[in-house]
Amino acid sequence: MKRRTFLTVAGAGAATLAAPSLLRAQSAVRIGLITTLSGPGGYIGADIRDAFNLAVEMEGGKLGGVPVQVVVEDDGFRPGQGKTVAERMLRNDGIKLLTGIVFSNILGATLPDILDADAIYVSPNASPSNFAGKECHKNFYSIAWQNDTLHESAGQVAKELGHKRAFILAPNYQAGQDALAGFKRMFGGTIVGEQYTRLDQTDYAAEMAAIRAANPDVVFQFHPGGLGIAFLRQYAQAGLIGRVPMVVAAPSLDHTTLKAVGDVADGLWVSSHWNVDFDNAANKKFMAGFTQKHNRTPTYYASQSYDTALAIAAALQQTKGDIKPENFRTAMVKADFASVRGAFKFGPNQHPIQDWYALKAGKSASGEMQIVTQRKVLTAHGDIYAPQCKL
Amino acid sequence: MSLLFVEQVLNGLQLGVMLFLLAAGLTLIFGIMGIINLAHGSLYMVGAYAGSIAASATGSFLLAVPAGLAAAAVTGLAIEYLVIRKLYDRDHLDQVLATYGLVLLFNESISLIVGRQPLFVGVPPALSGSIEILPGMTFSVYRLTIIVAGLVIAAGLYALIQRTRLGMLIRAGATNRDMVRALGVDIKLLYTLVFGLGALLAGFAGVMAGPLLSVQVGMGEQILIMTFVVVVVGGVGSIRGALFGAIVVGLVDTLLRAFLPQLVRGLLADPSEADQLSAGLASMGVYVLMAIVLLWRPQGLFPARS
């Protein structure tokens, strides 16, 4: 399944803007967007693709006044395929600016080749700890977060809600272990149970019984996508909803999985850096554009991808379309764009310093499930790996 | 503690019943036709999708069951007619390649037709909530329904295999395929019927799983590996083996996940390290069980072919 989608919008209109000094910018800057469009995580890749393209369309085929061409390819949810696609983009298509990867394991297989080719990678999602600390790189930027901070913010929400005894669960893989470590870092209370589930597990009955037996104040679980849907449903069927409050980080309940769990999510606390109801001009423009074009509620993945396009646009505008890594970097690290999250700046490791919020899922007046922003829990929060990064 | 143990045994039983519904079809197809069908999980997915689409369109879970069964059976028969028939005389590697191709085909088709978003299907109101089985121990009504339905189906299958002419042919086919063919039985028709029956059971498992799990692309592959373990443990081609193997695998997996963490925490000082270790051991459990069974009885517990 190799799909190539070309979004070529460097139309005749660009020619009218021709200026002698901008001859190089006339040939559109090509941006390689490698993302996951197949398998259970396919909806995430679709959101990342659609939001990035939306930003380009809003500018009439340009980013920061520079014509761009977005080349979208599916990584098939396989690290090997992600690597192959990246190599082809770098070698055959001469692409020097890439983005789009959803999953950490695929990024881990793909990023080294990109950096070795002296190309730039701007991450709209996957940002594992190894690229934030000692192995940080001047050509790697994360627009999303550093992975740990997703769960640190959930720990902060649980602490601020006054919970003392937590039962925590995550799948037994790197991201799951990082999640529990991140939660514990901020929570500071007692952990009455810590269980690792399997990545191919679909039935959580045993865990539900264990939670009921431990009778904690709060449950924190990290189960992204379909795992989270199954976990939440079974949590409700086990009669635990309403008995034991639950706090999750953004990946365990996004606006797509919310639709699939239905009323079960009522009363759930979520920590996030963005929500659909953020009241700033950039977010209003994004929400209106996305819902109008795609007729669905964007997930936070879409917001991150849209921000990625805006960040690239701000840099391209300053360099007038030059993507030589050192010139691009000087412009990029200023983060001179209006993020849909509000406050955004880069830390020393080129990962975000941003605010985190407590959100709550509940029913709207019309009976629809929605996620409503409650309050800010962390201000200008960076990540713990930044000090280890020497750029 | 003992109440918790009873509850976890019920949970294990429920997982076992789910695995049995899938393993029964897989073991028959494998045992009688000699076909390794990796697309069996896709039939489960088709059943789940058809069931949840029917449930959300009509608002009735009772209609979801026949819709899921019909969709899975029709898909199964179509697969058998278009693809599997070409593979009877080919070796296992060709079968694996072709049926893996089917898996990819089904996953992408569902993405294109239904979309990439996971579907919602609620527990039917009559079966939501929990009942008190023992004083102080509640259990989900829906999970109990799955256990009962699974055991009823197991009994029905037993009657079909042991008491009917068709069952006799299936048993004969599992024991000695060439002899059945030599006796003038229309083996092609028998194969199609068996494949349809397997698809029906997988579809039923899919419909029942809908309200519990996430109905999404790729859900079939998640459970397929565990189903193969059940088939190998129980013995290829044997329904009795599939039932026994499924219950054992379901119980071992659930009880390890339930009680190993406390056990290991008692042995190791560092709780975080203990949790890591127990998670690793619990997820290995069923595969270790399979290895032990294979060492002790290479044909599985109840092999169809002596």
Side-chain angles (χ1 to χ4, degrees):
Chain A
M1 268 287 188
K2 289 197 181 66
R3 274 191 303 243
R4 311 206 63 165
T5 331
F6 286 93
L7 184 88
T8 316
V9 250
T16 57
L17 297 167
S21 64
L22 289 187
L23 270 177
R24 275 197 67 259
Q26 275 320 298
S27 54
V29 172
R30 303 180 81 194
I31 301 174
L33 194 147
I34 307 168
T35 196
T36 303
L37 294 166
S38 21
Y43 77 90
I44 300 174
D47 258 22
I48 284 178
R49 173 195 64 196
D50 293 344
F52 198 95
N53 282 338
L54 177 73
V56 175
E57 281 163 41
M58 279 177 170
E59 254 204 74
K62 299 192 180 106
L63 284 178
V66 176
V68 293
Q69 184 192 45
V70 185
V71 182
V72 180
E73 285 234 26
D74 184 10
D75 62 33
F77 198 27
R78 289 197 297 274
Q81 193 170 323
K83 186 175 153 76
T84 311
V85 167
E87 278 172 359
R88 199 171 49 233
M89 284 182 170
L90 294 163
R91 288 215 189 105
N92 304 0
D93 307 340
I95 291 174
K96 287 289 186 188
L97 178 58
L98 295 98
T99 181
I101 296 174
V102 181
F103 296 99
S104 294
N105 57 341
I106 297 173
L107 184 77
T110 312
L111 189 61
D113 286 346
I114 296 174
L115 298 178
D116 286 349
D118 204 27
I120 299 160
Y121 185 82
V122 188
S123 180
N125 196 61
S127 308
S129 54
N130 47 339
F131 299 120
K134 280 199 190 72
E135 289 175 57
C136 64
H137 193 282
K138 61 185 185 355
N139 288 351
F140 176 78
Y141 306 85
S142 169
I143 302 291
W145 19 254
Q146 194 289 310
N147 198 31
D148 289 40
T149 56
L150 284 168
H151 311 287
E152 286 168 6
S153 57
Q156 184 68 20
V157 170
K159 186 164 84 182
E160 289 194 11
L161 289 171
H163 298 306
K164 301 276 182 285
R165 301 164 66 255
F167 196 107
I168 58 178
L169 310 96
N172 193 15
Y173 73 126
Q174 189 61 47
Q177 290 151 16
D178 290 350
L180 297 191
F183 178 87
K184 284 190 280 194
R185 199 173 293 140
M186 284 296 199
F187 175 62
T190 322
I191 304 295
V192 293
E194 181 171 343
Q195 286 217 332
Y196 285 103
T197 54
R198 275 205 315 270
L199 260 178
D200 63 348
Q201 194 173 325
T202 50
D203 200 301
Y204 298 101
E207 285 77 10
M208 297 308 157
I211 292 170
R212 205 180 304 118
N215 197 19
D217 294 346
V218 65
V219 166
F220 166 74
Q221 52 95 7
F222 165 67
H223 285 94
L227 300 177
I229 295 170
F231 191 97
L232 271 179
R233 281 187 186 169
Q234 292 169 29
Y235 195 77
Q237 286 155 11
L240 284 161
I241 290 269
R243 273 183 55 187
V244 183
M246 191 191 283
V247 173
V248 296
S252 305
L253 189 74
D254 62 40
H255 282 86
T256 296
T257 51
L258 180 69
K259 266 212 174 74
V261 292
D263 298 354
V264 163
D266 202 353
L268 199 70
W269 287 88
V270 189
S271 72
S272 182
H273 53 315
W274 173 85
N275 193 16
V276 289
D277 61 5
F278 273 24
D279 191 15
N280 63 57
N283 193 45
K284 284 196 166 119
K285 184 179 172 188
F286 163 66
M287 286 299 299
F290 194 97
T291 45
Q292 195 183 347
K293 186 159 167 42
H294 297 293
N295 203 9
R296 64 176 194 262
T297 309
T299 56
Y300 74 94
Y301 304 102
S303 81
Q304 291 164 183
S305 181
Y306 182 80
D307 266 355
T308 302
L310 296 189
I312 290 173
L316 287 177
Q317 185 153 25
Q318 294 168 64
T319 65
K320 300 195 172 52
D322 179 5
I323 53 168
K324 276 209 185 69
E326 56 277 16
N327 303 343
F328 186 83
R329 185 165 174 238
T330 311
M332 186 75 174
V333 291
K334 291 180 193 159
D336 187 14
F337 67 100
S339 162
V340 295
R341 299 163 227 187
F344 179 101
K345 63 178 196 277
F346 280 120
N349 55 352
Q350 299 176 175
H351 282 60
I353 291 177
Q354 60 190 341
D355 301 344
W356 291 85
Y357 299 81
L359 323 175
K360 199 173 182 188
K363 279 211 176 87
S364 69
S366 60
E368 288 273 295
M369 281 303 289
Q370 56 177 11
I371 301 178
V372 183
T373 307
Q374 304 292 319
R375 61 175 182 272
K376 194 187 282 191
V377 292
L378 292 168
T379 306
H381 186 66
D383 62 89
I384 57 157
Y385 301 101
Q388 299 166 25
C389 170
K390 303 280 180 279
L391 278 179
Chain B
M1 193 68 208
S2 55
L3 276 183
L4 183 66
F5 185 77
V6 175
E7 185 181 353
Q8 297 288 30
V9 166
L10 279 176
N11 285 330
L13 203 58
Q14 185 253 309
L15 177 61
V17 160
M18 269 315 220
L19 289 170
F20 166 71
L21 288 174
L22 283 160
L26 201 63
T27 199
L28 283 180
I29 293 162
F30 197 26
I32 295 170
M33 311 167 157
I35 291 271
I36 296 185
N37 178 23
L38 293 183
H40 201 69
S42 298
L43 297 168
Y44 164 81
M45 177 174 75
V46 166
Y49 265 91
S52 35
I53 289 168
S56 58
T58 62
S60 149
F61 191 75
L62 278 179
L63 284 173
V65 177
L69 290 178
V74 167
T75 311
L77 292 174
I79 291 179
E80 200 273 338
Y81 185 76
L82 295 169
V83 180
I84 306 284
R85 273 193 187 192
K86 316 266 188 294
L87 301 171
Y88 289 137
D89 305 328
R90 309 279 284 269
D91 64 41
H92 285 326
L93 186 62
D94 290 357
Q95 296 169 359
V96 166
L97 280 173
T99 52
Y100 183 66
L102 283 174
V103 169
L104 299 177
L105 185 85
F106 275 108
N107 282 348
E108 287 303 317
S109 307
I110 296 250
S111 286
L112 289 171
I113 299 164
V114 187
R116 295 193 172 92
Q117 275 68 22
L119 294 185
F120 171 73
V121 50
V123 177
L127 302 176
S128 64
S130 336
I131 50 166
E132 199 158 1
I133 298 181
L134 294 167
M137 195 200 94
T138 55
F139 196 72
S140 150
V141 178
Y142 188 71
R143 285 181 188 272
L144 208 57
T145 312
I146 292 180
I147 296 176
V148 173
L151 293 177
V152 167
I153 286 175
L157 272 178
Y158 182 79
L160 176 82
I161 303 274
Q162 296 296 339
R163 300 262 178 268
T164 66
R165 186 176 165 76
L166 175 68
M168 193 175 69
L169 289 174
I170 289 176
R171 269 181 295 145
T175 315
N176 194 333
R177 209 179 321 165
D178 298 335
M179 186 58 83
V180 175
R181 194 179 292 159
L183 290 171
V185 173
D186 184 353
I187 201 93
K188 263 198 173 147
L189 181 66
L190 180 68
Y191 281 180
T192 308
L193 285 175
V194 168
F195 202 90
L197 180 68
L200 209 59
L201 293 170
F204 183 69
V207 175
M208 295 309 275
L212 283 178
L213 319 176
S214 168
V215 177
Q216 60 178 25
V217 169
M219 63 189 287
E221 287 80 276
Q222 274 184 313
I223 200 155
L224 188 74
I225 297 175
M226 201 83 130
T227 311
F228 267 112
V229 171
V230 168
V231 169
V232 171
V233 167
V236 170
S238 150
I239 292 282
R240 194 163 39 137
L243 180 64
F244 197 79
I247 302 289
V248 169
V249 166
L251 281 175
V252 166
D253 188 61
T254 302
L255 294 177
L256 279 178
R257 278 192 287 125
F259 298 111
L260 204 64
Q262 287 104 308
L263 279 177
V264 180
R265 270 190 171 207
L267 298 174
L268 288 180
D270 181 7
S272 182
E273 225 171 74
D275 291 327
Q276 295 262 2
L277 180 67
S278 54
L281 290 175
S283 49
M284 273 164 33
V286 289
Y287 303 103
V288 172
L289 171 78
M290 180 173 78
I292 292 169
V293 169
L294 286 179
L295 283 172
W296 170 48
R297 301 193 63 158
Q299 297 290 315
L301 295 173
F302 300 96
R305 263 173 241 190
S306 37

